[in-house]
Amino acid sequence: MVGTGVSRRGATWATALIAAVAVTAGGCARTDGGADAGPDGGVVHVVCGATEDWCAATTKKFTESTGVKADFVRLSSGEALARIKAGKGSTEFDVWYGGPADGYAAAGDEGLLEPYVSPNAGVIPAEYKDPAGYWTGVYVGALGFCSNTKVLAEKGVDVPDSWADLLDPKLSKDIGIAHPSTSGTAYTALWTQVTLAGGDQARALDYMRKLHPNVLQYTKSGSAPGQMTARGEVAVGLIFSHDCVATIEAGFPDLKVSFPVEGTGYETGGIALVKNAKNATSARKFIDWALTTEAQEIGPSVKAYQFPTNPKAAVSDKVVKLADLKLVKYDAVAAGRAKLALNKRFDAEVAQAPKS
């Protein structure tokens, strides 16, 4: 179904193994703008990793601003990567929008993305874009703890402010986190542990094994643990902090955001041109527009409080100040390179382990 801001949930779902290897620095990126080059049907099909509301508002505003029709399918990062790979021979999407950049890095090296340097990418800081043009950042979000203070009080546990706090036996089966194979949020958490361990994956997985008895279940969606925490199903959800803020605003005042003192990871939400896109001209127009202040100021209107990558975009006072946090040095390329093998190890060594 084609339309303005329409979710194409009726589309056939394909399955595929998630491939993850790094994007290389090679490849020729378009630098001429190129929005009038290539095939096009006057519509852009977007696979969107942001919230459903944000995806809808963004595609709707794009159509209003440019006159080009847009529709979307909302998928978690791992699902989006698998779906794009499954459609490699005849892609159903033109643009991938939203979700952590390590997934884009993996997709670029797999030959699933077309390098494109938008003429609007010049204002985006270098740390938020791929030098080869495989992806450009549109927002940044910090990983945090979303706690139900009422549930924690009943357990006699303080709001956590360290990774070590999550290992408290009093939190047995009381932590919510997604599975890193399907969720970019959860993979960000896993790669954060690798980074904190100085690159030692064995040490990172050891931490996740210690956390495992406290995990109620591994969800498919990275934002789902926030809803679980709001309902009191778990005491703490490990999610991006902006998702917790949005849940608080939805009417759950008992929730509180906190961050680990050891350091936390973050996502650079990307946008990229899918290789062999059937609507390449419209796709490039969408990418160009997504880097503007108009596009990057949409988030707060739908309770999406990520930090915009365009320095000229207005920043809501509900957006966490990144400068106030201790952030790890998150290498999206290295994370993408390790993604497939590390997720397999997580599944075999952590997720399938019995809980005492």
Side-chain angles (χ1 to χ4, degrees), residues 64-116:
E64 292 174 352
S65 297
T66 67
V68 179
K69 293 181 180 179
D71 56 39
F72 72 94
V73 172
R74 198 280 161 188
L75 295 175
S76 294
S77 181
E79 297 174 302
L81 180 57
R83 182 93 166 248
I84 292 171
K85 185 177 180 181
K88 186 175 182 180
S90 180
T91 181
E92 61 182 310
F93 301 117
D94 304 306
V95 169
W96 185 3
Y97 174 77
D102 48 64
Y104 290 76
D109 196 66
E110 186 71 10
L112 302 176
L113 303 178
E114 186 75 30
Y116 173 59

Short mmCIF file of all heavy atoms in Angstrom, two decimals, residues 64-116:
data_model
loop_
_atom_site.label_atom_id
_atom_site.label_comp_id
_atom_site.label_asym_id
_atom_site.label_seq_id
_atom_site.Cartn_x
_atom_site.Cartn_y
_atom_site.Cartn_z
N GLU A 64 4.45 16.22 2.81
CA GLU A 64 3.94 17.59 2.85
C GLU A 64 4.99 18.59 2.36
O GLU A 64 4.66 19.57 1.68
CB GLU A 64 3.50 17.94 4.26
CG GLU A 64 2.28 17.17 4.75
CD GLU A 64 1.97 17.44 6.21
OE1 GLU A 64 2.80 18.11 6.90
OE2 GLU A 64 0.92 16.98 6.68
N SER A 65 6.24 18.34 2.69
CA SER A 65 7.30 19.28 2.37
C SER A 65 7.80 19.15 0.93
O SER A 65 8.25 20.14 0.34
CB SER A 65 8.47 19.10 3.33
OG SER A 65 8.08 19.39 4.65
N THR A 66 7.76 17.93 0.38
CA THR A 66 8.37 17.70 -0.93
C THR A 66 7.38 17.30 -2.02
O THR A 66 7.72 17.36 -3.20
CB THR A 66 9.42 16.59 -0.83
OG1 THR A 66 8.76 15.34 -0.52
CG2 THR A 66 10.45 16.91 0.25
N GLY A 67 6.20 16.84 -1.61
CA GLY A 67 5.23 16.36 -2.59
C GLY A 67 5.48 14.92 -3.02
O GLY A 67 4.72 14.36 -3.82
N VAL A 68 6.52 14.28 -2.48
CA VAL A 68 6.83 12.89 -2.81
C VAL A 68 6.15 11.97 -1.81
O VAL A 68 6.27 12.16 -0.60
CB VAL A 68 8.36 12.66 -2.78
CG1 VAL A 68 8.67 11.19 -3.10
CG2 VAL A 68 9.06 13.57 -3.77
N LYS A 69 5.44 10.98 -2.31
CA LYS A 69 4.75 10.05 -1.42
C LYS A 69 5.76 9.18 -0.66
O LYS A 69 6.85 8.89 -1.16
CB LYS A 69 3.82 9.15 -2.23
CG LYS A 69 2.64 9.88 -2.86
CD LYS A 69 1.76 8.91 -3.63
CE LYS A 69 0.58 9.64 -4.27
NZ LYS A 69 -0.29 8.71 -5.04
N ALA A 70 5.38 8.77 0.53
CA ALA A 70 6.25 7.92 1.35
C ALA A 70 5.41 6.98 2.19
O ALA A 70 4.33 7.34 2.66
CB ALA A 70 7.13 8.79 2.25
N ASP A 71 5.89 5.77 2.36
CA ASP A 71 5.27 4.83 3.29
C ASP A 71 6.38 4.12 4.05
O ASP A 71 7.56 4.28 3.75
CB ASP A 71 4.35 3.84 2.57
CG ASP A 71 5.04 3.06 1.47
OD1 ASP A 71 6.21 2.67 1.65
OD2 ASP A 71 4.42 2.84 0.41
N PHE A 72 6.01 3.36 5.07
CA PHE A 72 7.03 2.74 5.89
C PHE A 72 6.57 1.41 6.48
O PHE A 72 5.37 1.15 6.62
CB PHE A 72 7.46 3.66 7.04
CG PHE A 72 6.43 3.81 8.13
CD1 PHE A 72 6.46 3.00 9.26
CD2 PHE A 72 5.43 4.77 8.03
CE1 PHE A 72 5.52 3.13 10.26
CE2 PHE A 72 4.47 4.90 9.03
CZ PHE A 72 4.51 4.08 10.15
N VAL A 73 7.55 0.60 6.84
CA VAL A 73 7.37 -0.59 7.67
C VAL A 73 8.26 -0.40 8.89
O VAL A 73 9.45 -0.11 8.75
CB VAL A 73 7.77 -1.88 6.92
CG1 VAL A 73 7.76 -3.07 7.86
CG2 VAL A 73 6.83 -2.13 5.75
N ARG A 74 7.70 -0.54 10.07
CA ARG A 74 8.47 -0.35 11.30
C ARG A 74 9.05 -1.71 11.74
O ARG A 74 8.31 -2.67 11.97
CB ARG A 74 7.57 0.22 12.40
CG ARG A 74 8.34 0.85 13.56
CD ARG A 74 8.86 -0.16 14.53
NE ARG A 74 9.93 0.38 15.36
CZ ARG A 74 10.65 -0.34 16.19
NH1 ARG A 74 10.45 -1.64 16.29
NH2 ARG A 74 11.61 0.21 16.90
N LEU A 75 10.38 -1.79 11.83
CA LEU A 75 11.05 -3.01 12.25
C LEU A 75 12.19 -2.68 13.21
O LEU A 75 12.82 -1.62 13.09
CB LEU A 75 11.63 -3.76 11.04
CG LEU A 75 10.67 -4.33 10.00
CD1 LEU A 75 11.46 -4.91 8.83
CD2 LEU A 75 9.77 -5.37 10.60
N SER A 76 12.47 -3.59 14.13
CA SER A 76 13.65 -3.46 14.96
C SER A 76 14.89 -3.61 14.08
O SER A 76 14.81 -4.12 12.96
CB SER A 76 13.65 -4.52 16.06
OG SER A 76 12.58 -4.30 16.96
N SER A 77 16.03 -3.20 14.61
CA SER A 77 17.25 -3.15 13.82
C SER A 77 17.64 -4.49 13.21
O SER A 77 17.95 -4.59 12.01
CB SER A 77 18.41 -2.63 14.69
OG SER A 77 19.60 -2.55 13.96
N GLY A 78 17.65 -5.53 14.01
CA GLY A 78 18.02 -6.85 13.51
C GLY A 78 17.05 -7.36 12.46
O GLY A 78 17.43 -7.98 11.47
N GLU A 79 15.76 -7.09 12.69
CA GLU A 79 14.75 -7.50 11.72
C GLU A 79 14.90 -6.74 10.41
O GLU A 79 14.74 -7.30 9.32
CB GLU A 79 13.35 -7.26 12.29
CG GLU A 79 13.04 -8.08 13.53
CD GLU A 79 11.69 -7.70 14.12
OE1 GLU A 79 11.50 -6.52 14.46
OE2 GLU A 79 10.83 -8.58 14.23
N ALA A 80 15.21 -5.44 10.50
CA ALA A 80 15.39 -4.63 9.30
C ALA A 80 16.56 -5.15 8.47
O ALA A 80 16.45 -5.29 7.24
CB ALA A 80 15.62 -3.17 9.68
N LEU A 81 17.66 -5.46 9.13
CA LEU A 81 18.83 -5.98 8.43
C LEU A 81 18.51 -7.30 7.74
O LEU A 81 18.87 -7.52 6.58
CB LEU A 81 19.99 -6.14 9.41
CG LEU A 81 21.30 -6.67 8.85
CD1 LEU A 81 21.81 -5.80 7.71
CD2 LEU A 81 22.35 -6.77 9.95
N ALA A 82 17.80 -8.17 8.45
CA ALA A 82 17.44 -9.46 7.87
C ALA A 82 16.49 -9.30 6.69
O ALA A 82 16.63 -9.98 5.66
CB ALA A 82 16.79 -10.34 8.94
N ARG A 83 15.55 -8.39 6.82
CA ARG A 83 14.57 -8.17 5.75
C ARG A 83 15.23 -7.58 4.50
O ARG A 83 14.92 -7.98 3.38
CB ARG A 83 13.48 -7.24 6.28
CG ARG A 83 12.34 -6.93 5.33
CD ARG A 83 11.17 -7.88 5.50
NE ARG A 83 10.02 -7.31 4.82
CZ ARG A 83 8.93 -6.86 5.42
NH1 ARG A 83 8.82 -6.94 6.74
NH2 ARG A 83 7.93 -6.36 4.73
N ILE A 84 16.15 -6.64 4.69
CA ILE A 84 16.86 -6.05 3.55
C ILE A 84 17.71 -7.12 2.87
O ILE A 84 17.76 -7.21 1.64
CB ILE A 84 17.73 -4.86 4.01
CG1 ILE A 84 16.84 -3.70 4.46
CG2 ILE A 84 18.65 -4.40 2.88
CD1 ILE A 84 17.60 -2.58 5.13
N LYS A 85 18.36 -7.95 3.67
CA LYS A 85 19.19 -9.01 3.09
C LYS A 85 18.33 -10.01 2.32
O LYS A 85 18.70 -10.47 1.23
CB LYS A 85 19.98 -9.72 4.18
CG LYS A 85 20.94 -10.76 3.62
CD LYS A 85 21.77 -11.42 4.71
CE LYS A 85 22.73 -12.44 4.09
NZ LYS A 85 23.54 -13.12 5.14
N ALA A 86 17.17 -10.34 2.88
CA ALA A 86 16.29 -11.31 2.22
C ALA A 86 15.80 -10.78 0.86
O ALA A 86 15.56 -11.56 -0.06
CB ALA A 86 15.09 -11.62 3.11
N GLY A 87 15.68 -9.47 0.74
CA GLY A 87 15.20 -8.88 -0.50
C GLY A 87 16.30 -8.39 -1.41
O GLY A 87 16.04 -7.57 -2.30
N LYS A 88 17.52 -8.86 -1.20
CA LYS A 88 18.67 -8.34 -1.95
C LYS A 88 18.48 -8.44 -3.46
O LYS A 88 18.89 -7.55 -4.20
CB LYS A 88 19.93 -9.08 -1.51
CG LYS A 88 21.21 -8.53 -2.11
CD LYS A 88 22.43 -9.23 -1.55
CE LYS A 88 23.73 -8.65 -2.11
NZ LYS A 88 24.93 -9.33 -1.55
N GLY A 89 17.86 -9.52 -3.93
CA GLY A 89 17.68 -9.69 -5.37
C GLY A 89 16.66 -8.75 -5.97
O GLY A 89 16.74 -8.36 -7.13
N SER A 90 15.67 -8.38 -5.18
CA SER A 90 14.61 -7.47 -5.62
C SER A 90 14.10 -6.72 -4.40
O SER A 90 13.10 -7.09 -3.78
CB SER A 90 13.47 -8.24 -6.29
OG SER A 90 12.44 -7.37 -6.71
N THR A 91 14.81 -5.67 -4.06
CA THR A 91 14.55 -4.99 -2.79
C THR A 91 13.16 -4.35 -2.74
O THR A 91 12.68 -3.80 -3.73
CB THR A 91 15.62 -3.92 -2.51
OG1 THR A 91 15.34 -3.30 -1.26
CG2 THR A 91 15.64 -2.86 -3.60
N GLU A 92 12.53 -4.44 -1.57
CA GLU A 92 11.21 -3.82 -1.38
C GLU A 92 11.34 -2.43 -0.76
O GLU A 92 10.38 -1.67 -0.76
CB GLU A 92 10.35 -4.69 -0.48
CG GLU A 92 10.93 -4.91 0.92
CD GLU A 92 10.08 -5.82 1.79
OE1 GLU A 92 8.85 -5.56 1.88
OE2 GLU A 92 10.63 -6.78 2.36
N PHE A 93 12.53 -2.10 -0.25
CA PHE A 93 12.73 -0.81 0.41
C PHE A 93 13.70 0.06 -0.39
O PHE A 93 14.58 -0.45 -1.09
CB PHE A 93 13.27 -1.01 1.82
CG PHE A 93 12.38 -1.82 2.71
CD1 PHE A 93 12.81 -3.03 3.22
CD2 PHE A 93 11.11 -1.36 3.03
CE1 PHE A 93 11.98 -3.78 4.04
CE2 PHE A 93 10.28 -2.12 3.85
CZ PHE A 93 10.72 -3.33 4.36
N ASP A 94 13.54 1.37 -0.22
CA ASP A 94 14.45 2.33 -0.85
C ASP A 94 15.40 2.96 0.16
O ASP A 94 16.54 3.28 -0.16
CB ASP A 94 13.64 3.44 -1.54
CG ASP A 94 12.64 2.90 -2.54
OD1 ASP A 94 13.06 2.15 -3.44
OD2 ASP A 94 11.44 3.22 -2.41
N VAL A 95 14.90 3.14 1.39
CA VAL A 95 15.65 3.83 2.44
C VAL A 95 15.52 3.07 3.75
O VAL A 95 14.44 2.54 4.07
CB VAL A 95 15.13 5.28 2.64
CG1 VAL A 95 15.70 5.90 3.90
CG2 VAL A 95 15.48 6.15 1.45
N TRP A 96 16.62 3.00 4.49
CA TRP A 96 16.59 2.50 5.87
C TRP A 96 16.78 3.72 6.76
O TRP A 96 17.76 4.46 6.62
CB TRP A 96 17.71 1.49 6.07
CG TRP A 96 17.70 0.81 7.42
CD1 TRP A 96 16.79 0.96 8.42
CD2 TRP A 96 18.66 -0.14 7.89
NE1 TRP A 96 17.10 0.16 9.49
CE2 TRP A 96 18.25 -0.53 9.19
CE3 TRP A 96 19.80 -0.71 7.34
CZ2 TRP A 96 18.98 -1.45 9.94
CZ3 TRP A 96 20.53 -1.63 8.09
CH2 TRP A 96 20.11 -2.00 9.38
N TYR A 97 15.85 3.93 7.68
CA TYR A 97 15.85 5.13 8.52
C TYR A 97 15.66 4.74 9.99
O TYR A 97 14.69 4.08 10.35
CB TYR A 97 14.71 6.06 8.08
CG TYR A 97 14.49 7.28 8.94
CD1 TYR A 97 15.32 8.39 8.85
CD2 TYR A 97 13.42 7.33 9.85
CE1 TYR A 97 15.10 9.51 9.63
CE2 TYR A 97 13.20 8.45 10.64
CZ TYR A 97 14.04 9.53 10.53
OH TYR A 97 13.84 10.64 11.31
N GLY A 98 16.59 5.16 10.84
CA GLY A 98 16.48 4.90 12.27
C GLY A 98 17.09 3.57 12.66
O GLY A 98 17.14 2.62 11.88
N GLY A 99 17.54 3.50 13.89
CA GLY A 99 18.20 2.30 14.40
C GLY A 99 19.70 2.49 14.44
O GLY A 99 20.26 3.29 13.67
N PRO A 100 20.40 1.79 15.35
CA PRO A 100 21.83 2.00 15.57
C PRO A 100 22.69 1.77 14.34
O PRO A 100 22.44 0.88 13.53
CB PRO A 100 22.16 1.00 16.68
CG PRO A 100 20.87 0.80 17.40
CD PRO A 100 19.82 0.85 16.33
N ALA A 101 23.75 2.56 14.24
CA ALA A 101 24.60 2.55 13.05
C ALA A 101 25.39 1.27 12.86
O ALA A 101 25.83 0.99 11.74
CB ALA A 101 25.57 3.74 13.11
N ASP A 102 25.59 0.47 13.91
CA ASP A 102 26.35 -0.76 13.70
C ASP A 102 25.63 -1.70 12.74
O ASP A 102 26.27 -2.45 11.99
CB ASP A 102 26.67 -1.46 15.03
CG ASP A 102 25.47 -1.60 15.94
OD1 ASP A 102 24.51 -2.31 15.58
OD2 ASP A 102 25.48 -0.98 17.02
N GLY A 103 24.29 -1.65 12.75
CA GLY A 103 23.54 -2.44 11.78
C GLY A 103 23.78 -1.96 10.35
O GLY A 103 23.88 -2.76 9.41
N TYR A 104 23.89 -0.65 10.18
CA TYR A 104 24.17 -0.07 8.87
C TYR A 104 25.58 -0.45 8.42
O TYR A 104 25.82 -0.71 7.24
CB TYR A 104 24.05 1.44 8.93
CG TYR A 104 22.64 1.95 9.11
CD1 TYR A 104 21.99 1.89 10.34
CD2 TYR A 104 21.93 2.51 8.06
CE1 TYR A 104 20.70 2.36 10.52
CE2 TYR A 104 20.64 2.99 8.21
CZ TYR A 104 20.04 2.90 9.45
OH TYR A 104 18.75 3.36 9.61
N ALA A 105 26.53 -0.45 9.36
CA ALA A 105 27.89 -0.83 9.04
C ALA A 105 27.94 -2.26 8.51
O ALA A 105 28.62 -2.55 7.52
CB ALA A 105 28.78 -0.69 10.28
N ALA A 106 27.21 -3.14 9.17
CA ALA A 106 27.15 -4.53 8.72
C ALA A 106 26.51 -4.62 7.35
O ALA A 106 26.99 -5.33 6.46
CB ALA A 106 26.38 -5.37 9.73
N ALA A 107 25.43 -3.91 7.14
CA ALA A 107 24.72 -3.94 5.87
C ALA A 107 25.56 -3.38 4.73
O ALA A 107 25.54 -3.89 3.60
CB ALA A 107 23.41 -3.16 5.98
N GLY A 108 26.32 -2.34 5.00
CA GLY A 108 27.16 -1.75 3.97
C GLY A 108 28.21 -2.71 3.47
O GLY A 108 28.42 -2.84 2.25
N ASP A 109 28.86 -3.41 4.37
CA ASP A 109 29.89 -4.35 3.94
C ASP A 109 29.30 -5.57 3.25
O ASP A 109 29.96 -6.20 2.44
CB ASP A 109 30.74 -4.78 5.13
CG ASP A 109 32.04 -5.42 4.70
OD1 ASP A 109 32.88 -4.73 4.11
OD2 ASP A 109 32.20 -6.63 4.93
N GLU A 110 28.07 -5.88 3.58
CA GLU A 110 27.39 -7.02 2.96
C GLU A 110 26.90 -6.67 1.55
O GLU A 110 26.39 -7.52 0.84
CB GLU A 110 26.20 -7.43 3.85
CG GLU A 110 25.48 -8.70 3.42
CD GLU A 110 26.29 -9.96 3.65
OE1 GLU A 110 27.36 -9.88 4.31
OE2 GLU A 110 25.89 -11.02 3.17
N GLY A 111 27.08 -5.41 1.16
CA GLY A 111 26.65 -5.01 -0.18
C GLY A 111 25.18 -4.70 -0.27
O GLY A 111 24.58 -4.76 -1.36
N LEU A 112 24.57 -4.34 0.86
CA LEU A 112 23.13 -4.09 0.90
C LEU A 112 22.79 -2.61 0.80
O LEU A 112 21.62 -2.26 0.63
CB LEU A 112 22.54 -4.66 2.19
CG LEU A 112 22.77 -6.16 2.43
CD1 LEU A 112 22.21 -6.57 3.79
CD2 LEU A 112 22.14 -6.98 1.32
N LEU A 113 23.81 -1.74 0.92
CA LEU A 113 23.58 -0.30 0.89
C LEU A 113 24.37 0.34 -0.24
O LEU A 113 25.43 -0.15 -0.64
CB LEU A 113 23.98 0.34 2.22
CG LEU A 113 23.30 -0.20 3.48
CD1 LEU A 113 23.85 0.51 4.71
CD2 LEU A 113 21.78 -0.06 3.40
N GLU A 114 23.86 1.46 -0.72
CA GLU A 114 24.52 2.23 -1.77
C GLU A 114 25.15 3.47 -1.13
O GLU A 114 24.45 4.26 -0.51
CB GLU A 114 23.50 2.67 -2.82
CG GLU A 114 24.10 3.36 -4.02
CD GLU A 114 24.79 2.41 -4.97
OE1 GLU A 114 24.38 1.24 -5.04
OE2 GLU A 114 25.75 2.85 -5.63
N PRO A 115 26.45 3.66 -1.26
CA PRO A 115 27.06 4.88 -0.68
C PRO A 115 26.42 6.14 -1.27
O PRO A 115 26.22 6.23 -2.48
CB PRO A 115 28.53 4.77 -1.10
CG PRO A 115 28.75 3.31 -1.34
CD PRO A 115 27.45 2.80 -1.90
N TYR A 116 26.09 7.06 -0.39
CA TYR A 116 25.51 8.34 -0.84
C TYR A 116 25.83 9.41 0.18
O TYR A 116 25.44 9.32 1.35
CB TYR A 116 23.99 8.23 -1.00
CG TYR A 116 23.32 9.56 -1.29
CD1 TYR A 116 23.68 10.30 -2.42
CD2 TYR A 116 22.35 10.08 -0.44
CE1 TYR A 116 23.08 11.53 -2.69
CE2 TYR A 116 21.75 11.30 -0.70
CZ TYR A 116 22.12 12.02 -1.82
OH TYR A 116 21.53 13.24 -2.09
#
